[in-house]
Amino acid sequence: MLRIVVGEGSCGIAAGAAKVYNRLESLINDGVLKDCELSVTGCIGMCYLEPIVDVYTDNERITFVKTDEKFAELLAEKGLGSEEVNAYLIPQADVDRLDKQTRIALRNCGNINPEKIEDYIAAGGYEALKKVLSGMSQDDVINVIKVSGLAGRGGAGFPTWFKWNAAKSSPGEEKYLICNADEGDPGAFMDRAVIESDPHNLIEGMLIGAYAIGAKEAVVYVRAEYPLAIIRLTNAIKQAEAKGYLGENIMGSGFSCKMRIKAGAGAFVCGEETALIESLEGQRGMPRLKPPFPAQSGYWHKPSNINNVETFANVPWIMANGGEAFSSMGTEDSKGTKVFALTGKIKKGGLVEIPMGMTLREVIYDIGNGIKDDKEFKAVQMGGPSGGCIPKDLLDTVIDYKKLGATGAIMGSGGMVVMDETTCMVDMARFFLDFTAKESCGKCVPCRLGTKRMLEILTRIVNGEGKEGDIELLEELCLSIKDGSLCGLGQTAPNPVLTTLKYFRHEYEAHIRDKKCPAKQCKSLISYTIIADKCKGCTLCARNCPVEAISGSVKQPHVIDAEKCIKCGKCKDNCKFNAIEIN
Amino acid sequence: MDNVINLKINGKEVTAVKGQTILQVAKENGIDIPNMCYSEKVKVYGACGVCVVEAKGMPKLMRSCATMAAEGMDIETETPRVVQARKVALELMLSDHKGDCRPPCVKACPAGTDCQGYVGLIANGKFDEANKLVKDKFPLPASIGRVCPHPCEQKCRRQAIDDPVQIAFLKRFVGDKALESASSCTPDIAADTGKKVAVIGGGPAGLSAAYHLRRMGHGVTIFDAMPHMGGMLRYGIPEYRLPNTVVDAEVKAIENMGVKLVNNTKINAEKFNELKADYDAVLVAIGAWTSSKMRIPGEDAKGVMGGIDFLRKLALKEESGIGKRVAVVGGGNTAMDACRSAVRAGAEEVYTFYRRTREEMPADKVEVNEAEEEGVIFKFLCNPVEILSKDGVVCGIKAQKMELGEPDASGRRSPVPVEGAFEIVELDTVIMAIGQGTKAEGFEELELTRKGTIVADEKTYMTSVEGVFACGDATNKGADIAIRAIGEAINAAASINEYLGGKKRTFAETSQYDLYSSVEPTFEQIREKHSDKAPVQKIVMSHDNAEERKTNFNEFMHGFTEDEAIREASKCLECGCMDYYECKLINYANRYDCQPGRLAGSIHKAGIEDCNEFIIRDTAKCVLCGLCVRACEEVTGNTALGLVGRGFDTIVAPEMCLALDKSKCTACGLCVSLCPTGALTEKPAMKKAVPLKQTREESVCRFCTNGCKTEVVKHGTALLKVEPAEGVVNLCHNGRFGVCDDDFAYIECGSDYEAAVNAIVEDIKATVNLDLSKPAVAISALHTEAEAKALMAACKKALGDVPVFTLSGGKKLSGKDLELSNEANKQNGKDTVSDIYFGVSADGLAKAGVSSDMNVAKNSTVILAFGEDIDEKTLGISVVKLPNVFEKL
Ligand SMILES: Cc1cc2nc3c(=O)[nH]c(=O)nc-3n(C[C@H](O)[C@H](O)[C@H](O)COP(=O)(O)O)c2cc1C
Ligand code: SF4
Ligand code: SF4
Ligand code: SF4
Ligand code: FES
């Protein structure tokens, strides 16, 4: 009996997993593939290898990558172990990459069927909840979390036990537990992966949290752009209710808790906890003044606790394995593991979960396999638009809240964008600022107007219209916005600019004073020319130019009309003789 | 008591009650912390960041509106760090705040006279107030209104539709009005300071400076070389433009304030030294009295004279010495005065030589046209190169013919000679009116410019000698128009005042935001914005025709009638922001010396929205403090306004982005009261909206028995609006906007209605000058049935059979009105909901024979309205001049 499991996270589906699944299914139905059982699982984090198919024999798991319909047919035709099928085997290097990770939050992702509670239970699921409900007091639970050293994974890294304890100790009968699954950072998908691939893990973590603070109602605020996550979580909630893990008198313990989902309207700022609460209450998503903190006055002005998906996803493991097991991993300051979404100019991107204390170099080179096209590493942006960049000479910084903070970047929620020599740092800062400026809720003056003015200054710098004094003005605005904004969005928005100014100030100066873009990216500051000596007159460039800016006859050196050129770079990409240069 | 918290603010020990914010505690202790998004009427929001303060030992600045006072806090409210943070926050707000704080006319006036203000007051028939407003700046409106080349009108936006508002003539109108009623307007004079100032020169600059210095309580003496005061107004401007009687009357008013006038006294070096010793300060405002020369051959021949010398001789009634054929050289206003005076003085042929064309002439176009009508012959493109003479006596001019060349740097096309083309004109007299200079005889001790004018500091107006100040034509750049000299005199007086008080004033410190505004719109944009206004026929002031006037020096422009003045003033487009005197933003911007351009950038999409009959929104001025939105939701529960969009594009918009009057808005006006800028303004209680300085008086609303405390906002005697008094959360619509008519006369009346009605009728006949041919009477439902009957009887006696109708804020008091006022009452913490209505209902009045149909009054010329008073003492009768205001309601 073979068990065939197709990876159907959003990434797998995007890569064509559904087609593979359907083909396999029809082959099984037609009796071509015999003695097989077909199921799905979530994302294992190696998105560049999708669609991934795992085949479980009685005693081993064989992983096939970048599969297609052909693979299904070959499997049916030639059988497991055949040369043709083995061509799809996962490369050893990728297996090693997985081995270098430590998976706690993602422990079931890609391994179990997220649509079946039985799979979760078989993997030890709901044992932690059982343990908690059979005799642990609220304080006992909070204490285990305290020992574990778990800190919020949503960005700020605040000790989880402290928030739980504050919510528990707040007077009042009616309390709420909220899960923040708004995940608005561009490029981040840690939370989506957890919900899509292991929804019961989240539910169990939340129930333990709800028990600890004394909440009878829990809400998951998911961004509406995550339809698959919403479907799987809805399904999981139903299953858990049917099993008596959710609802009245859970497992006969007397503890009751309802859970529901709220689809968020998709504004980045709604991920900020107080804005999220406003949004839950049906108001415009705008942050509230703190204090009072949600633990004192949150949802409907009742004591509330908000945690991130990944935070909750660690909880069942911690309860099952003990706080010490978690805190034994990591550094003095940061315990356990952290999930990152590794993207950008990296060879092997994807979702990775690593123990705290690893260096950036290890993550980027050992797990991510280094820089695409073997270009020069330039910097890594941590924490998305709220974070900062870390340059090459700080690559040995270890992953730890304090150490990362000291560079000017942040741990953040897990975005890790790798940049190479061709990235213009000014333009990068502009890109992130464009995001925050648009996403500002518009409430406070420094954030709404300050980010806009910064964006305008950055835009004029990359357009070659920068003026002396612009850097100083940027710095002044950065400080005013950091100091004067109400919520984290505004307070952190200047980080990309501050860190690039700190590590790459010369790039700003080159744009402003010399009207040059050192990375040769800013269109207003570059021009394309053909080196006559190298040009063989193959006409390829001229044929590819979308605006017919290139002229020249066959076998004669070509020329680019700078007036017409729109600097799309197609000619350079197509030239086989390296005859086109950027000035 | 553990409820009491001790803390320090700016070093001062203060106490607070638990739960109070730092902002509240500071306010209680008279410490003003600026704030834009705070109001005690709504929940704390914390958006603007202007209220930040620093606390010792705290690393971050705190928002004082949102931070609770805590034991032992040590707060500073104006540290450099705080100031910097506020400044940036304000500059950011200003970078996306667009509007004309002040109108273009005011900005164009060198003396900063409040054109829009007095024009608007005239439009509302408030002539006295208009006069006061002008006189706040300078004492010579009747004179200047006649002669000013009015830079204000050049900038007036009305010209995009038809013609500029005739601002100068309107100024003349109020000036003349004031002279007619001698009683009016001796300005308030501060208590004597014991300081003495000598002003040398009794021209517009000297007179204006003396006027201001006197108002400040200083003893002032003006010394003048001529037999009468007025300077160039009297000796440089011919009487047909500005009669001596007008100048004399305005000078007299200054004398009446206690300014000493000493004429026929030329100040020489010795006398100057005496003045310096005898007075605490000296102001030199001696003007520019020498005619410039052309430096061409023959200029010293007999029969050649300077333009102002000629005019002065005429003014002194001396023999002018001109012949039958006269040429005036020059193209400015003095040249026009000279040639037109020459015509009047009996010359038979009068020429004006000007080296460019008519278009380039600096003189007023009207002057040129009028001179031509009077027979002056213009020789354009003619440049005198030699004065021909026989036996030392003028016999003609040789002039080089010119043509216009390429435009020069200033854009003016400069004249170039046409090779070999000359013209010779035979003449008896040549008057050179090409410019004036100063001979600072007797003042050699002062540092002079190369031109010979006195050097005066541009900021302090002090000369090189301590305690000696100078302004006007005699200083720096030299001669210019009178109103510029007056502008300098206003500043110089302020500077002298500071000097006398021991300080040194620098005018760099004056608020730059007073003059802040957006880019001037194009005519096209102006027309678009005012598409509801059609061009109207220009009101031409009555005047004598050329044949009549050219034989004498009598004034030939006869001034506007009241009706003309009101019609002319009503054309004003109300360019300047109505919130100028209340706007927090401009106030703070000035206080923190903000620089608008520093953080300039793009501006959000915005426009003006005429929301309903009571409220106007100008979204370009919104700074998104959110007060309106929050007040509407939290206080009224209407949620008629909301925030839309994100980031920079966030705006305030009525619900569902419809028009406000399609929303649940009840027009309570709370949002308008709270808006810290001019983004929300109320339509005025007067007919025409005018931004004016305000005074506030506590009063009680009389629309219903709840008696909400109100604040009546006035400018002088003009009612501007009614707002909730401090501590009162909100008024109902009636209380806020009910009192909205353009002219209320209040009469202490008690219960003797007959006497009151008679008194008011007499008053109308005697002073208000209204047409009483078709009166109507409005009676408020606030009266009892008996009162209503008594009132009707009294009116019948005084006015005959008149239409009578009900009035309550122009409306019939309905159940809805009652509900609104009760709602306002509840918000203000009163639990008694009024169920007994003071007086009778509309139905009850109908029984007493009072119709509820306001149409009965439509054709009336005047309405007496009973019961709509705005303060407690004068339970009153109000006269409503223009019945059509009721159509508004
Ligand atoms: C602009 C902004 C966006 C945020 N977005 C998210 C988000 O998408 N998901 C999240 O878990 N936390 C987000 N946060 C952090 C939350 O405010 C909050 O700190 C977090 O949900 C707490 O959970 P934790 O303690 O488990 O990290 C955001 C914060 C800010 C200021
Ligand atoms: S910092 Fe920005 S996003 Fe946060 S409350 Fe202020 S305006 Fe809104
Ligand atoms: S229209 Fe009125 S406010 Fe505008 S410039 Fe003319 S007079 Fe001044
Ligand atoms: S319109 Fe509303 S949000 Fe805008 S400035 Fe006025 S009160 Fe504030
Ligand atoms: S933030 Fe305090 S008044 Fe605006």
Side-chain angles (χ1 to χ4, degrees):
Chain A
M1 178 77 175
L2 288 181
R3 200 154 64 83
I4 304 176
V5 181
V6 181
E8 284 205 3
S10 291
C11 47
I13 292 173
K19 277 193 195 142
V20 180
Y21 184 92
N22 291 342
R23 190 78 195 107
L24 285 166
E25 191 176 38
S26 64
L27 287 168
I28 292 170
N29 288 345
D30 298 348
V32 186
L33 254 176
K34 288 192 198 72
D35 214 13
C36 283
E37 181 193 290
L38 187 62
S39 83
V40 296
T41 187
C43 162
I44 197 156
M46 296 187 288
C47 311
Y48 58 96
L49 294 179
E50 296 286 355
I52 296 174
V53 174
D54 286 317
V55 178
Y56 291 83
T57 65
D58 289 338
N59 42 27
E60 65 173 339
R61 164 184 177 172
I62 311 166
T63 303
F64 299 98
V65 301
K66 297 189 183 169
T67 61
D68 46 19
E69 286 170 282
K70 185 89 204 264
F71 166 79
E73 282 148 21
L74 288 171
L75 188 65
E77 213 176 292
K78 308 277 174 171
L80 211 53
S82 66
E83 203 179 310
E84 289 84 347
V85 171
N86 279 352
Y88 287 90
L89 271 177
I90 182 169
Q92 186 54 41
D94 290 314
V95 178
D96 294 345
R97 293 181 64 240
L98 261 182
D99 291 346
K100 282 186 191 128
Q101 304 184 29
T102 307
R103 299 188 144 229
I104 294 175
L106 303 181
R107 65 192 179 282
N108 294 323
C109 295
N111 297 333
I112 66 166
N113 184 340
E115 291 173 358
K116 287 196 176 147
I117 192 169
E118 295 78 13
D119 269 31
Y120 182 67
I121 293 171
Y126 289 110
E127 284 302 319
L129 179 65
K130 207 172 283 171
K131 184 169 162 188
V132 165
L133 293 185
S134 46
M136 284 177 83
S137 70
Q138 289 172 285
D139 287 330
D140 291 342
V141 176
I142 293 174
N143 208 36
V144 174
I145 298 295
K146 184 175 181 180
V147 170
S148 78
L150 178 64
R153 299 300 193 230
F158 202 77
T160 304
W161 76 269
F162 192 93
K163 293 196 340 189
W164 287 18
N165 194 41
K168 190 214 89 179
S169 316
S170 250
E173 273 302 293
E174 198 182 327
K175 295 182 184 179
Y176 294 94
L177 184 97
I178 299 164
C179 172
N180 187 342
D182 194 48
E183 199 163 55
D185 279 16
F189 51 96
M190 298 76 61
D191 297 347
R192 186 191 73 200
V194 170
I195 305 177
E196 282 179 3
S197 311
D198 196 11
H200 286 288
N201 188 20
L202 174 63
I203 296 174
E204 188 178 5
M206 284 178 69
L207 282 169
I208 294 169
Y211 174 76
I213 70 162
K216 294 190 191 62
E217 194 176 329
V219 189
V220 188
Y221 187 93
V222 196
R223 36 181 348 196
E225 291 92 329
Y226 284 176
L228 185 61
I230 293 176
I231 292 169
R232 289 203 174 141
L233 188 59
T234 311
N235 173 50
I237 289 175
K238 278 201 198 112
Q239 292 173 345
E241 279 167 352
K243 285 260 184 219
Y245 296 152
L246 246 180
E248 290 301 314
N249 191 14
I250 295 169
M251 297 181 186
S253 65
F255 168 63
S256 305
C257 185
K258 297 187 284 191
M259 189 176 288
R260 63 190 168 84
I261 299 174
K262 158 90 188 171
F268 177 55
V269 76
C270 288
E272 198 281 336
E273 52 190 11
T274 57
L276 185 149
I277 291 172
E278 288 278 307
S279 172
L280 274 183
E281 291 179 7
Q283 300 281 19
R284 176 183 162 89
M286 286 204 300
R288 294 178 180 169
L289 276 165
K290 289 190 270 192
F293 292 95
Q296 294 132 22
S297 167
Y299 189 33
W300 302 125
H301 297 280
K302 300 286 187 255
S304 309
N305 176 63
I306 303 192
N307 280 117
N308 166 258
V309 174
E310 189 187 332
T311 313
F312 283 126
N314 281 308
V315 169
W317 190 94
I318 293 171
M319 293 326 286
N321 296 280
E324 289 83 358
F326 195 79
S327 67
S328 70
M329 288 176 280
T331 63
E332 168 92 41
D333 200 59
S334 310
K335 304 297 185 193
T337 60
K338 176 80 194 89
V339 181
F340 288 99
L342 198 53
T343 54
K345 304 283 178 62
I346 184 109
K347 276 193 186 139
K348 313 246 155 161
L351 218 52
V352 300
E353 182 171 356
I354 47 114
M356 300 281 189
M358 238 188 206
T359 66
L360 288 170
R361 186 186 301 280
E362 285 171 303
V363 178
I364 292 168
Y365 283 93
D366 298 351
I367 300 180
N369 249 20
I371 310 303
K372 244 188 212 160
D373 302 331
D374 290 320
K375 289 221 168 78
E376 188 74 23
F377 170 83
K378 188 172 198 174
V380 56
Q381 173 78 15
M382 303 281 297
S386 323
C389 72
I390 298 178
K392 196 172 157 189
D393 42 344
L394 295 178
L395 255 185
D396 290 313
T397 307
V398 298
I399 292 175
D400 169 296
Y401 284 102
K402 271 203 184 137
K403 299 263 162 48
L404 286 173
T407 66
I410 59 170
M411 173 89 74
S413 60
M416 209 189 252
V417 186
V418 177
M419 290 165 284
D420 68 13
E421 54 193 280
T422 65
T423 313
C424 169
M425 299 310 279
V426 186
D427 192 44
M428 196 275 306
R430 195 198 62 82
F431 169 81
F432 282 118
L433 216 78
D434 185 49
F435 178 83
T436 35
K438 289 204 179 96
E439 291 295 335
S440 159
C441 81
K443 180 173 180 179
C444 42
V445 169
C447 176
R448 178 182 81 246
L449 294 165
T451 54
K452 174 75 175 180
R453 298 298 171 237
M454 282 180 70
L455 178 63
E456 286 169 346
I457 297 171
L458 289 167
T459 305
R460 74 173 178 244
I461 293 177
V462 299
N463 285 341
E465 291 151 7
K467 297 184 288 215
E468 276 308 319
D470 275 354
I471 295 182
E472 292 70 22
L473 201 55
L474 277 177
E475 282 173 328
E476 185 190 336
L477 282 169
C478 282
L479 296 182
S480 303
I481 297 168
K482 255 183 133 43
D483 245 19
S485 296
L486 265 192
C487 86
L489 190 148
Q491 287 158 5
T492 59
N495 284 345
V497 177
L498 280 173
T499 49
T500 46
L501 271 173
K502 181 169 172 188
Y503 299 118
F504 299 95
R505 198 182 182 94
H506 54 277
E507 290 202 14
Y508 283 82
E509 288 165 351
H511 281 77
I512 296 171
R513 295 196 190 133
D514 314 334
K515 305 290 171 210
K516 286 213 165 79
C517 173
K520 302 189 172 172
Q521 284 300 305
C522 296
K523 283 190 180 169
S524 307
L525 299 174
I526 53 170
S527 64
Y528 284 83
T529 45
I530 297 176
I531 307 167
D533 284 353
K534 288 194 184 168
C535 178
K536 299 272 190 280
C538 72
T539 74
L540 203 56
C541 57
R543 277 183 278 139
N544 276 290
C545 177
V547 291
E548 299 181 359
I550 305 180
S551 56
S553 22
V554 188
K555 300 219 171 121
Q556 293 298 317
H558 282 45
V559 259
I560 300 176
D561 181 346
E563 289 287 301
K564 285 193 193 158
C565 172
I566 54 163
K567 297 164 189 178
C568 68
K570 287 233 170 73
C571 52
K572 184 168 162 51
D573 295 344
N574 280 295
C575 180
K576 299 209 164 54
F577 308 102
N578 250 334
I580 299 178
E581 63 173 359
I582 309 175
N583 299 309
Chain B
M1 274 205 301
D2 51 323
N3 238 358
V4 173
I5 293 164
N6 299 294
L7 67 157
K8 262 202 245 171
I9 305 183
N10 295 347
K12 184 175 162 192
E13 305 270 0
V14 298
T15 55
V17 182
K18 209 168 170 189
Q20 270 189 316
T21 61
I22 296 171
L23 186 70
Q24 286 167 332
V25 183
K27 190 175 171 200
E28 273 181 15
N29 287 282
I31 298 165
D32 177 28
I33 301 177
N35 56 81
M36 292 290 292
C37 71
Y38 172 79
S39 160
E40 66 280 1
K41 298 184 184 184
V42 287
K43 284 195 212 119
V44 171
Y45 192 57
C48 71
V50 170
C51 69
V52 287
V53 295
E54 198 168 349
K56 246 186 216 135
M58 300 280 238
K60 291 197 93 179
L61 296 178
M62 309 184 297
R63 284 168 156 78
S64 62
C65 69
T67 312
M68 299 296 160
E71 186 64 37
M73 271 183 166
D74 188 351
I75 308 280
E76 288 290 336
T77 66
E78 299 281 337
T79 64
R81 190 165 160 221
V82 165
V83 168
Q84 168 66 12
R86 274 185 203 152
K87 198 168 152 167
V88 172
L90 290 165
E91 282 174 348
L92 280 170
M93 275 184 260
L94 286 161
S95 75
D96 189 28
H97 172 87
K98 191 176 147 196
D100 293 291
C101 299
R102 302 257 71 194
C105 47
V106 171
K107 294 197 302 181
C109 177
T113 54
D114 186 358
C115 316
Q116 185 185 0
Y118 62 78
V119 169
L121 284 166
I122 294 170
N124 287 310
K126 308 273 180 199
F127 306 139
D128 245 17
E129 295 298 342
N131 182 47
K132 275 191 202 139
L133 196 61
V134 181
K135 287 231 171 139
D136 192 45
K137 284 285 180 189
F138 72 102
L140 309 162
S143 305
I144 294 297
R146 284 172 165 80
V147 303
C148 187
H150 42 67
C152 51
E153 291 180 26
Q154 273 145 38
K155 286 283 152 69
C156 178
R157 292 185 188 156
R158 180 78 203 198
Q159 65 190 295
I161 297 172
D162 38 39
D163 307 286
V165 174
Q166 300 179 54
I167 303 172
F169 282 166
L170 288 170
K171 176 157 44 216
R172 164 187 170 164
F173 170 79
V174 289
D176 286 352
K177 274 243 152 239
L179 294 179
E180 277 166 28
S181 62
S183 65
S184 81
C185 217
T186 320
D188 294 338
I189 294 172
D192 267 342
T193 60
K195 303 275 181 191
K196 289 194 309 176
V197 185
V199 174
I200 305 172
L207 288 168
S208 302
Y211 169 82
H212 282 292
L213 288 164
R214 182 67 203 113
R215 278 171 71 186
M216 294 161 182
H218 308 302
V220 187
T221 308
I222 308 179
F223 298 91
D224 194 283
M226 304 301 285
H228 295 279
M229 292 292 169
M232 280 293 172
L233 290 178
R234 190 183 175 104
Y235 296 104
I237 291 171
E239 278 215 72
Y240 65 86
R241 279 220 285 152
L242 172 54
N244 288 343
T245 48
V246 174
V247 180
D248 287 345
E250 293 199 311
V251 169
K252 183 78 194 150
I254 297 170
E255 190 174 25
N256 288 345
M257 291 166 63
V259 173
K260 280 194 212 98
L261 307 180
V262 181
N263 281 97
N264 298 313
T265 307
K266 184 155 169 69
I267 305 298
N268 55 24
E270 187 190 336
K271 191 86 181 76
F272 182 39
N273 276 330
E274 277 172 32
L275 292 182
K276 278 188 295 175
D278 293 350
Y279 289 83
D280 299 295
V282 179
L283 176 68
V284 184
I286 53 175
W289 287 67
T290 60
S291 280
S292 307
K293 297 240 157 133
M294 263 193 109
R295 290 172 226 261
I296 53 171
E299 221 176 337
D300 40 13
K302 199 158 171 257
V304 181
M305 58 183 88
I308 46 171
D309 302 324
F310 165 62
L311 292 168
R312 182 169 61 242
K313 275 189 210 153
L314 289 177
L316 286 165
K317 309 275 186 286
E318 288 172 5
E319 188 51 53
S320 70
I322 60 166
K324 292 287 167 210
R325 295 169 302 173
V326 178
V328 174
V329 182
N333 281 327
T334 305
M336 293 306 100
D337 287 344
C339 65
R340 299 179 68 184
S341 293
V343 171
R344 285 166 172 76
E348 281 161 12
E349 272 171 47
V350 179
Y351 300 91
T352 294
F353 282 78
Y354 181 57
R355 59 196 187 118
R356 302 174 204 239
T357 69
R358 191 186 199 100
E359 277 62 54
E360 284 83 29
M361 280 182 82
D364 237 8
K365 293 282 163 281
V366 186
E367 290 277 323
V368 181
N369 296 340
E370 286 175 351
E372 205 162 41
E373 283 172 25
E374 290 162 10
V376 174
I377 302 154
F378 283 89
K379 294 262 169 210
F380 292 115
L381 292 166
C382 270
N383 191 26
V385 288
E386 189 181 346
I387 303 211
L388 309 173
S389 54
K390 207 185 267 167
D391 308 328
V393 180
V394 174
C395 68
I397 273 186
K398 180 178 175 191
Q400 163 81 59
K401 293 285 219 178
M402 313 290 278
E403 61 188 1
L404 286 183
E406 292 304 305
D408 63 8
S410 70
R412 282 217 303 186
R413 294 177 64 191
S414 50
V416 289
V418 181
E419 190 101 11
F422 293 95
E423 185 176 353
I424 290 176
V425 181
E426 291 184 10
L427 297 163
D428 308 316
T429 306
V430 174
I431 299 175
M432 291 292 187
I434 53 163
Q436 290 146 250
T438 292
K439 222 192 252 150
E441 257 170 36
F443 300 97
E444 287 78 5
E445 177 190 356
L446 305 177
E447 185 189 339
L448 303 180
T449 64
R450 277 169 46 204
K451 289 163 109 169
T453 56
I454 299 167
V455 175
D457 187 284
E458 276 173 32
K459 289 171 183 161
T460 63
Y461 296 86
M462 181 110 71
T463 64
S464 55
V465 174
E466 174 84 12
V468 176
F469 297 78
C471 67
D473 282 359
T475 59
N476 303 341
K477 284 192 194 126
D480 202 330
I481 60 179
I483 194 72
R484 181 168 307 279
I486 290 173
E488 291 182 12
I490 296 168
N491 289 345
S495 175
I496 293 171
N497 185 48
E498 302 267 311
Y499 171 80
L500 294 174
K503 276 182 270 169
K504 197 163 189 177
R505 177 173 175 125
T506 62
F507 277 86
E509 284 160 17
T510 51
S511 38
Q512 53 176 316
Y513 268 95
D514 272 5
L515 301 181
Y516 172 70
S517 137
S518 56
V519 181
E520 189 58 25
T522 61
F523 279 14
E524 202 45 59
Q525 288 164 331
I526 296 169
R527 279 192 286 269
E528 205 171 296
K529 182 171 165 194
H530 297 281
S531 54
D532 56 327
K533 298 190 178 72
V536 297
Q537 182 75 41
K538 182 172 177 174
I539 299 174
V540 180
M541 187 182 279
S542 91
H543 59 276
D544 301 336
N545 64 34
E547 288 314 312
E548 285 172 78
R549 68 191 187 230
K550 67 192 251 194
T551 58
N552 59 61
F553 280 90
N554 298 339
E555 181 170 40
F556 67 90
M557 299 294 289
H558 301 309
F560 283 141
T561 64
E562 277 190 9
D563 175 60
E564 283 169 340
I566 289 177
R567 277 194 290 131
E568 181 65 26
S570 302
K571 286 171 63 186
C572 171
L573 299 178
E574 303 165 16
C575 311
C577 180
M578 290 304 151
D579 209 46
Y580 177 68
Y581 291 101
E582 281 182 282
C583 178
K584 280 185 168 182
L585 189 60
I586 196 173
N587 180 359
Y588 297 146
N590 286 326
R591 175 152 146 195
Y592 292 104
D593 195 19
C594 291
Q595 288 165 301
R598 214 169 66 91
L599 300 176
S602 52
I603 279 171
H604 71 265
K605 278 202 213 91
I608 292 177
E609 190 195 320
D610 196 343
C611 298
N612 53 33
E613 291 159 291
F614 309 97
I615 298 169
I616 300 177
R617 260 168 26 97
D618 183 350
T619 54
K621 293 176 184 165
C622 173
V623 295
L624 279 183
C625 71
L627 279 168
C628 54
V629 174
R630 289 179 286 143
C632 196
E633 177 178 338
E634 293 172 29
V635 178
T636 75
N638 291 335
T639 53
L641 290 168
L643 293 167
V644 180
R646 296 223 156 257
F648 184 69
D649 299 322
T650 313
I651 51 163
V652 171
E655 54 185 346
M656 317 310 271
C657 292
L658 296 169
L660 192 60
D661 58 356
K662 301 243 165 26
S663 74
K664 282 177 275 175
C665 172
T666 54
C668 69
L670 182 62
C671 55
V672 181
S673 295
L674 293 186
C675 181
T677 70
L680 283 166
T681 47
E682 50 276 277
K683 293 197 180 156
M686 294 190 292
K687 193 175 61 174
K688 187 162 202 69
V690 202
L692 292 166
K693 266 192 198 138
Q694 310 172 344
T695 52
R696 287 173 178 261
E697 284 164 25
E698 276 239 333
S699 184
V700 177
C701 177
R702 302 199 136 241
F703 271 98
C704 72
T705 46
N706 296 337
C708 292
K709 280 219 171 92
T710 60
E711 245 174 30
V712 174
V713 184
K714 294 184 181 169
H715 172 84
T717 56
L719 168 74
L720 300 178
K721 60 182 169 185
V722 176
E723 289 200 294
E726 185 154 338
V728 173
V729 178
N730 202 4
L731 297 177
C732 68
H733 169 75
N734 289 340
R736 180 79 161 79
F737 293 106
V739 187
C740 72
D741 303 315
D742 69 336
D743 198 358
F744 284 82
Y746 298 96
I747 293 246
E748 300 254 4
C749 91
S751 58
D752 188 354
Y753 294 124
E754 225 175 285
V757 173
N758 276 331
I760 204 159
V761 169
E762 285 315 307
D763 185 52
I764 293 175
K765 281 183 185 152
T767 58
V768 192
N769 198 16
L770 287 177
D771 177 7
L772 254 177
S773 60
K774 279 193 274 172
V777 169
I779 291 180
S780 156
L782 300 190
H783 296 279
T784 62
E785 206 172 304
E787 276 174 337
K789 282 185 172 154
L791 276 167
M792 284 168 64
C795 292
K796 242 185 194 142
K797 259 196 171 162
L799 302 161
D801 242 342
V802 291
V804 183
F805 61 100
T806 54
L807 166 98
S808 276
K811 274 184 183 173
K812 187 172 83 171
L813 276 180
S814 64
K816 170 107 188 237
D817 294 321
L818 198 57
E819 232 172 73
L820 283 177
S821 56
N822 285 342
E823 195 46 50
N825 224 24
K826 269 190 271 173
Q827 280 154 20
N828 296 328
K830 292 191 186 174
D831 44 18
T832 50
V833 172
S834 80
D835 47 4
I836 327 153
Y837 215 61
F838 175 153
V840 283
S841 68
D843 293 346
L845 282 172
K847 273 188 224 144
V850 180
S851 155
S852 66
D853 179 7
M854 290 208 304
N855 283 324
V856 298
K858 280 268 169 71
N859 298 318
S860 312
T861 53
V862 71
I863 292 170
L864 303 190
F866 294 91
E868 270 213 305
D869 53 344
I870 53 166
D871 72 40
E872 241 180 335
K873 293 177 299 259
T874 56
L875 176 68
I877 301 177
S878 327
V879 189
V880 183
K881 268 211 274 193
L882 299 164
N884 61 8
V885 296
F886 282 104
E887 282 161 29
K888 267 198 351 197
L889 293 168

